[in-house]
Amino acid sequence: MGAGSLEKDEKPEDCVNREVMEELGYKIEKPKLITVFYTSPGGSTERIFLFFSEVSKTDKIKKGGGNDHENEDIQLVKIPVSDLLSKIMEIKDAKTILAMQWFLLNRQNH
């Protein structure tokens, strides 16, 4: 899961493509919008655009890990589908929990 901020006048789809490449090194095609939500309705105007995209080994075309000039230290963690349900209880990030739950409910469609 990559995360990033929209640049001025940038479309969410373009942002997710850019961030996944920078952070994970994968080229993604046609990311599917899962949902858009507020992090704290009434307390913040920050919105999260949550996307899904499948990737394969051949889609990994760069190193990933984030941008050095942004002092990012990003590591790709692969979790087997069979472990997702138990891992949800360990995760402390709401967008990641939501994405994992969505995937578990919708994986037969992908």
Side-chain angles (χ1 to χ4, degrees):
M1 169 175 268
S5 297
L6 287 169
E7 302 292 335
K8 185 178 178 178
D9 299 324
E10 185 177 33
K11 295 178 191 174
E13 297 82 4
D14 295 336
C15 179
V16 72
N17 288 333
R18 175 178 50 80
E19 288 293 332
V20 169
M21 181 62 72
E22 287 175 8
E23 295 180 3
L24 305 175
Y26 285 89
K27 180 177 189 219
I28 59 173
E29 299 287 336
K30 300 180 185 174
K32 175 185 174 145
L33 181 65
I34 296 172
T35 191
V36 179
F37 62 94
Y38 289 95
T39 57
S40 181
S44 172
T45 60
E46 179 184 15
R47 290 182 301 162
I48 303 287
F49 294 82
L50 193 57
F51 287 91
F52 171 81
S53 184
E54 288 190 38
V55 295
S56 69
K57 290 179 183 179
T58 59
D59 297 319
K60 179 111 171 139
I61 59 174
K62 289 192 175 180
K63 177 183 163 207
N67 289 327
D68 291 335
H69 68 276
E70 293 178 359
N71 294 319
E72 295 178 308
D73 181 21
I74 298 167
Q75 298 176 7
L76 177 61
V77 176
K78 296 179 181 181
I79 302 171
V81 172
S82 60
D83 293 346
L84 280 182
L85 193 56
S86 64
K87 290 291 183 186
I88 286 175
M89 299 308 293
E90 297 175 20
I91 303 293
K92 304 300 181 215
D93 176 64
K95 67 183 174 302
T96 302
I97 293 169
L98 184 60
M100 292 168 79
Q101 289 174 334
W102 178 89
F103 179 79
L104 287 170
L105 290 170
N106 293 278
R107 70 177 179 232
Q108 290 82 6
N109 301 327
H110 302 285

